Structures are given as structure tokens and as C-alpha cells.
Amino acid sequence: MNAKKILIIDDDVAILDSLGLLLNFEGFDVKSFERGSEIFSCIRSTCKPDAILIDMWLSEEDGREICKQLKSNETTKNIPVIIMSASRGLENTALESGANAFISKPFDIEDVVKKLNYFTA
């Protein structure tokens, strides 16, 4: 069985590294990006993700806006998007932007894996 491809967008390199390592260990094929804009060229060329994890608050970018762009594009609208944030009480705004799920930081890796497995089944 092929590993599920997961794109992670977070401007915190430590989170990208740790989440990437943990998800690789769980059998996912992970690509990490520090800027949301980078994923669009990746998706247009070689990346065909099974799911996308996006931090809500990126430097100079809003993860919810990236989610809206993904969900309004015919090519990417069916890719599950999970928004992550350390800010409490923002689950509704994340879901209103089109996200399939919300994960609070600090996250529980088992919760992340469970949600990814659910959306990529």
C-alpha cells in the first residue's frame, strides 16, 4: 500500500521537523513548507496530497485564507484540510473557512494521526 501524502504548512521549523518525523514514523509521506504560497506551485507540479495540515497563523499569511483558496479551486477542493492553532476558540472560524477539521496546539500526535487516517481512508 502506498503511503498517504501529507503537506504541512507551518512557519515554525521546529513544528515542521517534529511533526514531519512523527508522521513519517506513522507511515505517512510528508512534505513540509514554511509558506502557504509554496504549496500551490507544488500541487500544480508534482504534489498530489491526500491531506493538508495548515497552521492558522503564518507569518504574513492566514491559514484560513489558504484553506479558502484550496476549497474554491476545482483541482484542490476535495483535498482534506486540517487547520492547527495554539489560539483557543477558533475552531468555528477554521471550519467556516472550509477546513475539514481543527487541531489545537500543542497537539496530541495520536489525535493528528487519527484525523489524518480518517480523512485519507
Side-chain angles (χ1 to χ4, degrees), residues 4-100:
K4 299 292 184 186
K5 291 183 179 78
I6 308 300
L7 301 186
I8 306 171
I9 303 108
D10 200 309
D11 55 359
D12 185 331
V13 177
I15 289 176
L16 287 178
D17 290 346
S18 60
L19 195 52
L21 284 170
L22 291 165
L23 292 177
N24 277 323
F25 181 77
E26 292 289 337
F28 293 99
D29 177 12
V30 177
K31 280 193 184 278
S32 300
F33 302 91
E34 290 180 50
R35 298 188 49 79
S37 53
E38 295 172 326
I39 69 164
F40 293 102
S41 59
C42 182
I43 290 172
R44 280 192 295 277
S45 59
T46 58
C47 300
K48 301 296 178 225
D50 293 294
I52 301 172
L53 286 168
I54 304 175
D55 183 34
M56 185 179 291
W57 304 117
L58 299 163
S59 300
E60 302 172 24
E61 296 176 289
D62 186 326
R64 294 168 295 189
E65 291 303 315
I66 295 165
C67 182
K68 287 177 188 175
Q69 290 175 39
L70 290 164
K71 294 300 185 175
S72 66
N73 183 305
E74 196 61 36
T75 308
T76 57
K77 70 179 184 183
N78 294 319
I79 300 170
V81 175
I82 300 171
I83 292 181
M84 308 176 290
S85 180
S87 300
R88 302 286 177 221
L90 294 177
E91 182 170 1
N92 287 341
T93 65
L95 298 175
E96 288 166 7
S97 71
N100 298 80

